[in-house]
Amino acid sequence: MQEYFSQEPKEIQRRIFVLHGPGGSGKTQVALKFIESLNDFTKQFFVNAGSLQALKTSFMNIAISQTFGKTAEAGLQWLISGNKEWTLLLDNADDSKLNLSPFFPQCTHGNIIITSRNPRLVAYAPAAHSQVGDLDEENAALLLLARAVKEDTNENHKLAVDIVQELSCLPLAIVQAGAYIAKFKCLLKYLSIYRQNKAKLLQHHSDQILDAYESTVYTTWQISFEKLSPVAARFLRLCALLHHSKIPESIFVNATQWILKNEVNETGSMQAARQFLQSFVSDSGSWQEQYLRNIVAEIEEYSLLERDERSETLSMHPLVHLWCSDTQPNQATVRACMINVLGMAIDCEPRKYLARIGLMSHAKMLVSDLKMIDSRFWFQYGMIYYDGGQFEQARTLYEWNMGRQEGLFGKDNPDTLTAMAHVAATYRRQHLHKEAEPLVRSVLEQCQKLLGNDHPETLSAMANHAANLAATYRQQGQYQEAEPLQVSVLEHRQNALGDDHPDTLSAMANLAMILHSTGRHQAAEKLLLKVVAKGREGLGADHPHTLQAVKALKATQDALAKAKDAESTGVNGLLRFFSSFNFHFSKEIKEY
């Protein structure tokens, strides 16, 4: 702001600057501090831009204060007619339907600062705007200690940093926390008090109003929320049940396409999910992307949601997310609806594993008990947990689904065989090879019988049978028998799933373990380096597959280091032995 207002303009013109950000981020405070720092603006006016009536009243007051009349038009005319510089602060211009242009004095002098939760107001100042977000930790901690009336000692500073991290460094939340600490003298215990009473503390109003900010954290967002249309409000409520960051828009795309393909009569939460998703369906019965765009744009106007254009994901400020969750009415009903929406959205195509892994954080936040999942989506959620490395949950859901499929279609149905194969896969992941063997054999026999030896499902069943048998041989130390089977498994998975699929990487890691166990450490290291690199890139450094590969790589590299040390020790020992007989070696022989 200082840089913009201090520079000499290329032509004489009125200047406008826009500050935008979520409620409680300190936009008004930033603007006021900036105005205080200026000495060359002779007249400064605070304008309430919250509504049309508030704007008219503010400009009328300007006219009265300058003895220039008693109307809003007179106030505007005074600003236009004078030659002296002035600054207008148009505060809280949050109403997206309100046109501010008529309230910009049409002249070549003067300065206007606009504060708003609506990021689209940057259109008024395309080259002069700034987003006001969270403070950095250092300044946040200093603000907390100042408001708490505490010295900035090392101990206090460390406590303050922990508190502001919990509050996501939102200025208003920090001011509220500081006021509470000052009143009850509880800096040491504030964090534990907050964690037990988050909602109450974020609604707590200080006895004395600080920084001319009368709203609490929760009330400032509630005001914005109440201005949303019913469909936008419901959309935000549903998003708040997921993790606060990187919510894929594809959830709503895929789920809407699911209801268009599955026309059945539903009741309860399934009916609620269908009714919500109809918001994205056109009159002709097709998916309408623009409807989603309109809803997201409406919520963005109040900075309650932020869209990343590149990744096509949505995010909420952590405290907005907490507020939305805490104030959720009928939470169990709304949660059941969102569980169904997410279930509809899960793409079960084998190569879509990265998309499923991306849903893992949302599934964990949404589903506290697997029994909450509708039986139609046991398999879909099982795939999320399986690809996310949560094999115990995947196994439970897959076992439930296998029982359901058997009950509906019998043991010989292709869908039942697929369900059995997935249960066996989770058994293998948990090293329960004895439990997996009868399932794997049954699937293979039925596939050969129903589909023939050359069908893709049969070939996959053959590979799974070979993988299970190879694992059993490996556990028994029969590496000679295990190796050719594991090689065939790896080749099949590379052809069927691609080099980067988790099942392919798992097969590669298993082959490396056989090589390691048979003393071929360099070959094992080469494979494991590849597994670790691809695992970190595709699955993430914390994924169980990646961590297991890192552990195996370390063991292999340790074995290589020991072998190298042993070789060096042996050569030096021989040299010392022969030297004891006074043999003299040439320099070349010693080097050799």
Side-chain angles (χ1 to χ4, degrees):
M1 292 177 77
Q2 287 176 340
E3 182 182 351
Y4 173 69
F5 284 107
S6 63
Q7 67 187 2
E8 288 294 329
K10 294 179 181 178
E11 57 186 60
I12 299 173
Q13 59 181 358
R14 180 199 62 217
R15 290 184 283 194
I16 301 176
F17 195 97
V18 175
L19 288 167
H20 64 94
S25 59
K27 302 177 293 297
T28 302
Q29 285 67 32
V30 169
L32 290 172
K33 287 289 183 185
F34 171 71
I35 290 173
E36 284 175 17
S37 70
L38 301 174
N39 298 317
D40 56 338
F41 294 162
T42 56
K43 294 288 184 180
Q44 299 163 4
F45 302 100
F46 184 93
V47 176
N48 182 348
S51 68
L52 180 60
Q53 186 57 49
L55 278 163
K56 288 181 177 180
T57 301
S58 294
F59 278 93
M60 181 184 72
N61 289 336
I62 292 174
I64 293 170
S65 69
Q66 303 305 312
T67 61
F68 202 77
K70 295 182 180 180
T71 64
E73 291 76 13
L76 275 167
Q77 191 57 44
W78 182 88
L79 293 165
I80 293 168
S81 60
N83 293 320
K84 293 182 179 180
E85 284 295 320
W86 43 258
T87 299
L88 285 179
L89 171 54
L90 272 62
D91 195 43
N92 292 329
D94 301 329
D95 189 345
S96 61
K97 299 179 181 66
L98 185 59
N99 182 12
L100 296 179
S101 298
F103 296 93
F104 296 161
Q106 299 304 305
C107 55
T108 57
H109 62 281
N111 306 276
I112 299 173
I113 299 170
I114 302 171
T115 70
S116 176
R117 300 179 190 189
N118 187 353
R120 286 171 180 75
L121 262 61
V122 300
Y124 289 126
H129 56 84
S130 181
Q131 181 175 7
V132 182
D134 301 329
L135 293 168
D136 61 78
E137 279 184 10
E138 181 64 22
N139 283 313
L142 292 174
L143 175 61
L144 179 79
L145 293 173
R147 289 292 176 265
V149 197
K150 295 288 183 181
E151 289 184 43
D152 185 23
T153 63
N154 288 338
E155 182 183 1
N156 285 352
H157 196 86
K158 186 178 184 304
L159 289 168
V161 167
D162 291 340
I163 292 169
V164 299
Q165 284 177 344
E166 191 83 10
L167 297 172
S168 303
C169 294
L170 183 75
L172 179 57
I174 293 164
V175 168
Q176 279 184 227
Y180 186 93
I181 292 165
K183 181 177 179 178
F184 296 104
K185 296 180 173 56
C186 57
L187 179 64
L188 193 63
K189 292 185 176 180
Y190 180 81
L191 203 54
S192 61
I193 295 170
Y194 171 78
R195 285 171 177 165
Q196 293 170 25
N197 304 278
K198 288 181 180 180
K200 286 184 179 179
L201 290 186
L202 290 172
Q203 293 178 69
H204 175 76
H205 207 296
S206 173
D207 295 337
Q208 294 183 346
I209 297 170
L210 298 172
D211 297 327
Y213 207 103
E214 299 183 8
S215 297
T216 66
V217 172
Y218 271 21
T219 56
T220 192
W221 293 326
Q222 186 66 34
I223 291 166
S224 295
F225 181 79
E226 288 171 358
K227 294 178 181 178
L228 296 176
S229 65
V231 67
R234 186 161 177 75
F235 183 89
L236 187 65
R237 292 286 195 199
L238 289 169
C239 286
L241 296 171
L242 304 172
H243 192 271
H244 66 82
S245 68
K246 296 183 179 178
I247 302 169
E249 289 180 339
S250 60
I251 289 175
F252 304 101
V253 179
N254 294 353
T256 303
Q257 290 171 344
W258 188 93
I259 66 163
L260 294 175
K261 293 175 185 174
N262 295 271
E263 291 289 343
V264 291
N265 291 324
E266 290 129 350
T267 58
S269 60
M270 282 295 291
Q271 186 180 35
R274 180 177 288 277
Q275 287 173 347
F276 164 71
L277 293 167
Q278 286 293 338
S279 305
F280 311 117
V281 178
S282 68
D283 293 338
S284 61
S286 61
W287 156 256
Q288 271 294 332
E289 184 177 352
Q290 189 58 47
Y291 292 178
L292 175 63
R293 292 278 167 271
N294 293 343
I295 291 170
V296 171
E298 181 185 346
I299 301 171
E300 275 192 301
E301 286 174 353
Y302 296 98
S303 292
L304 294 174
L305 204 61
E306 191 172 321
R307 181 176 187 266
D308 186 296
E309 183 180 358
R310 197 167 281 195
S311 64
E312 296 187 327
T313 58
L314 309 171
S315 296
M316 283 186 198
H317 188 282
L319 288 186
V320 173
H321 182 264
L322 178 64
W323 158 77
C324 211
S325 300
D326 284 344
T327 58
Q328 184 92 258
N330 305 316
Q331 187 162 133
T333 304
V334 179
R335 187 175 296 276
C337 173
M338 190 62 216
I339 289 172
N340 289 332
V341 171
L342 184 59
M344 295 171 186
I346 300 165
D347 190 335
C348 296
E349 202 280 314
R351 291 178 185 266
K352 297 288 186 178
Y353 61 93
L354 286 179
R356 290 192 293 274
I357 290 171
L359 295 176
M360 186 71 246
S361 62
H362 303 298
K364 286 173 72 175
M365 181 69 68
L366 182 63
V367 181
S368 58
D369 186 343
L370 297 182
K371 292 176 183 176
M372 299 166 72
I373 302 171
D374 188 281
S375 60
R376 276 171 284 195
F377 304 121
W378 284 341
F379 178 70
Q380 288 86 335
Y381 272 95
M383 292 199 78
I384 288 182
Y385 287 109
Y386 182 87
D387 290 326
Q390 306 295 310
F391 300 121
E392 190 63 36
Q393 292 91 328
R395 172 185 162 187
T396 299
L397 289 167
Y398 281 161
E399 286 176 339
W400 291 352
N401 183 59
M402 181 175 70
R404 178 176 182 269
Q405 295 299 107
E406 282 185 16
L408 290 173
F409 307 114
K411 287 189 175 182
D412 296 340
N413 183 274
D415 289 341
T416 305
L417 296 178
T418 299
M420 291 169 66
H422 280 85
V423 172
T426 58
Y427 286 164
R428 283 200 304 276
R429 288 292 190 188
Q430 295 178 296
H431 308 291
L432 302 172
H433 301 293
K434 286 185 179 179
E435 290 82 351
E437 179 56 31
L439 285 174
V440 171
R441 192 185 306 112
S442 178
V443 171
L444 176 57
E445 289 171 356
Q446 290 300 321
C447 283
Q448 288 173 325
K449 177 182 174 183
L450 297 172
L451 306 172
N453 288 332
D454 297 328
H455 193 278
E457 290 292 334
T458 307
L459 295 174
S460 178
M462 286 179 178
N464 291 335
H465 186 264
N468 201 63
L469 194 56
T472 303
Y473 282 139
R474 195 174 71 245
Q475 282 185 331
Q476 295 171 349
Q478 295 175 261
Y479 302 114
Q480 192 171 351
E481 291 81 359
E483 186 173 342
L485 288 170
Q486 194 61 54
V487 169
S488 70
V489 171
L490 176 58
E491 288 175 350
H492 174 268
R493 289 185 178 163
Q494 284 174 324
N495 292 330
L497 304 173
D499 289 343
D500 299 337
H501 193 280
D503 287 350
T504 305
L505 297 179
S506 176
M508 197 177 293
N510 288 336
L511 179 57
M513 289 169 69
I514 293 172
L515 296 172
H516 170 87
S517 300
T518 53
R520 289 169 285 175
H521 302 304
Q522 287 183 332
E525 181 188 36
K526 185 177 179 182
L527 282 178
L528 287 169
L529 283 169
K530 189 175 181 181
V531 172
V532 169
K534 286 186 175 293
R536 283 174 174 162
E537 181 184 349
L539 307 177
D542 297 330
H543 192 281
H545 290 0
T546 309
L547 295 174
Q548 202 170 21
V550 168
K551 186 177 178 182
L553 177 61
K554 186 179 184 306
T556 298
Q557 290 175 334
D558 287 346
L560 278 169
K562 285 180 182 178
K564 190 173 181 180
D565 288 344
E567 183 182 347
S568 176
T569 301
V571 170
N572 290 333
L574 281 172
L575 285 173
R576 285 196 298 274
F577 173 75
F578 283 111
S579 295
S580 66
F581 292 98
N582 294 320
F583 290 140
H584 297 286
F585 298 100
S586 68
K587 181 182 177 183
E588 288 76 17
I589 289 177
K590 284 182 178 179
E591 286 177 352
Y592 173 77

